[in-house]
Amino acid sequence: NGSVTCTFENNGQGTLKIVTNTVGASGSSLSDPDKFFEYTIKRFDPGSPSQTISTLTVNTNREVRKDAIRGDEWTGEKQIDVDKGITVYSITQTISKKGWALDSVQCEVQNKNSASPTGIRTQYAYGILNVTVRGQRTTTCTFKNTRKGELEIIENSQGVSSNQSAGNKFNYNINFVSTEYFTPNILPFAIASDQCGGQSQGQSQVCTIDQDCNICKENCGVCALPKTPPPGPGYSPSRMTVEVNGRQTKRIYPGTYEIVEYLPDRSSNDRWELSSVKCTLANGQSGGVSTGRGVDSLNVYAGKKTTCTFSHGLTIPVIGPGGGGGGGSVEPPRRTLKPIQ
């Protein structure tokens, strides 16, 4: 005649809420297309291969923080009632608009006095799997998105004829340093080596590139561009190539970067020389620190463009006479660079 206590899961409808947070939307209008994010919600039927598919659109129309440099922050949410009982879903965000990176997805089931995590983040589908929704409870999934910035590199070689520069291209390694934005789940950025690709016979030391690849080639043997892995899903290029007096623009994840330049090889006696680097932010402020081989501490902000102009000239090496004489020590020949007239 003992008693038995039974606990029954409530069989009412549950609620699935999707919250979307963004940084760097391009427009302030509440109807701007950049503010609408679409989601595909798939319900997995237990014991059956069939799926129930629905869609949901979130309008990020509430401004959280305004920042003309770093990028404005917006948020929005929408919820739907789902089937009764315990149901399991996969949710994917449609990446149809260019320039957005999905940084993180977190889902929680709201209990009486706390919340418990649910779901497994997918690396390639821009979403989350195995999200549980329980009857008469709310499961909230928060998607954090950052609009990528733009990096424009302009090559400026005034006074250099097309015959002199034929076939020459400048390579730039775009090295990620850090970010103060949402930390991406994966940072697929290549860090370029500062070392030459080879050495001359009889030399054992590793030679660094003090000025440019041509200097390395003369003093250390073979000079090769570092090999870089392919860029990760949607974040950043690891290299840009710009023709003489040309320009290239790439979308990259906002953060701080180092740009390392590799000058074109020349078959003639003259060589390229980097004379200056100037970088400006979208608001006209100067950015970055010139290193002699490129620029360091360069900021790229969400939804904004950073422009760097690399100015070059062709120079020809001239071997000057050594000093000394009269029985004293003889100074070794010095090499000076003379601009081509």
Side-chain angles (χ1 to χ4, degrees):
N1 296 326
S3 62
V4 177
T5 300
C6 299
T7 301
F8 293 89
E9 180 72 33
N10 191 297
N11 201 35
Q13 281 188 309
T15 300
L16 175 63
K17 179 193 292 185
I18 294 181
V19 178
T20 305
N21 296 331
T22 68
V23 177
S26 60
S28 59
S29 171
L30 299 183
S31 60
D32 192 289
D34 267 351
K35 292 193 167 49
F36 292 88
F37 289 78
E38 296 181 356
Y39 297 89
T40 300
I41 303 168
K42 297 181 180 180
R43 175 179 182 257
F44 294 91
D45 298 327
S48 171
S50 62
Q51 297 178 349
T52 301
I53 301 176
S54 57
T55 59
L56 181 147
T57 300
V58 176
N59 183 5
T60 56
N61 56 2
R62 295 201 312 273
E63 190 175 62
V64 176
R65 179 172 173 267
K66 195 169 185 63
D67 191 324
I69 295 179
R70 187 178 183 273
D72 299 339
E73 298 181 20
W74 295 78
T75 188
E77 62 185 50
K78 193 169 184 179
Q79 63 186 39
I80 58 173
D81 294 327
V82 298
D83 294 341
K84 295 180 179 180
I86 301 175
T87 49
V88 179
Y89 295 85
S90 72
I91 307 169
T92 55
Q93 178 178 281
T94 302
I95 306 296
S96 59
K97 297 185 289 292
K98 295 180 179 179
W100 286 101
L102 175 61
D103 297 306
S104 67
V105 185
Q106 291 183 333
C107 295
E108 294 181 329
V109 180
Q110 185 63 49
N111 303 315
K112 289 183 179 180
N113 299 316
S114 63
S116 56
T118 181
I120 302 172
R121 168 72 190 268
T122 65
Q123 183 175 350
Y124 302 106
Y126 283 90
I128 191 165
L129 304 176
N130 297 337
V131 177
T132 300
V133 181
R134 298 178 180 274
Q136 293 193 341
R137 299 183 190 178
T138 298
T139 294
T140 301
C141 292
T142 301
F143 288 72
K144 295 182 179 180
N145 296 269
T146 299
R147 189 177 183 87
K148 288 180 281 188
E150 290 186 329
L151 174 63
E152 180 182 38
I153 293 182
I154 300 174
E155 198 289 314
N156 178 34
S157 295
Q158 296 296 325
V160 178
S161 69
S162 58
N163 291 335
Q164 289 177 307
S165 62
N168 285 189
K169 296 181 179 180
F170 296 82
N171 288 290
Y172 300 89
N173 277 1
I174 316 301
N175 300 330
F176 174 82
V177 177
S178 64
T179 183
E180 296 180 357
Y181 290 82
F182 302 133
T183 302
N185 188 41
I186 299 175
L187 291 179
F189 301 104
I191 304 301
S193 170
D194 286 339
Q195 297 180 346
C196 301
Q199 302 166 5
S200 295
Q201 294 182 356
Q203 291 187 332
S204 58
Q205 78 275 15
V206 175
C207 301
T208 57
I209 305 173
D210 294 326
Q211 297 183 40
D212 58 49
C213 244
N214 288 328
I215 296 294
C216 168
K217 185 176 182 180
E218 287 192 6
N219 296 342
C220 311
V222 179
C223 181
L225 289 172
K227 293 182 179 180
T228 56
Y235 287 109
S236 170
S238 56
R239 180 169 294 161
M240 294 171 66
T241 300
V242 184
E243 295 183 352
V244 176
N245 290 320
R247 62 176 62 198
Q248 288 288 337
T249 301
K250 294 287 186 180
R251 289 189 178 97
I252 61 176
Y253 192 85
T256 302
Y257 288 83
E258 174 201 32
I259 302 178
V260 180
E261 179 184 65
Y262 293 88
L263 300 175
D265 286 327
R266 301 281 294 173
S267 58
S268 56
N269 291 331
D270 54 29
R271 68 172 54 157
W272 288 104
E273 183 181 62
L274 176 63
S275 56
S276 68
V277 183
K278 181 179 180 181
C279 297
T280 55
L281 307 179
N283 63 356
Q285 292 181 354
S286 299
V289 178
S290 178
T291 63
R293 293 174 46 208
V295 63
D296 200 0
S297 302
L298 180 67
N299 291 320
V300 176
Y301 294 104
K304 310 292 183 181
K305 178 187 284 188
T306 296
T307 301
C308 291
T309 300
F310 288 73
S311 297
H312 303 90
L314 280 173
T315 61
I316 186 167
V318 177
I319 304 299
S329 62
V330 178
E331 182 184 0
R334 295 174 300 175
R335 181 179 60 195
T336 60
L337 295 177
K338 177 183 177 183
I340 293 177
Q341 302 299 323

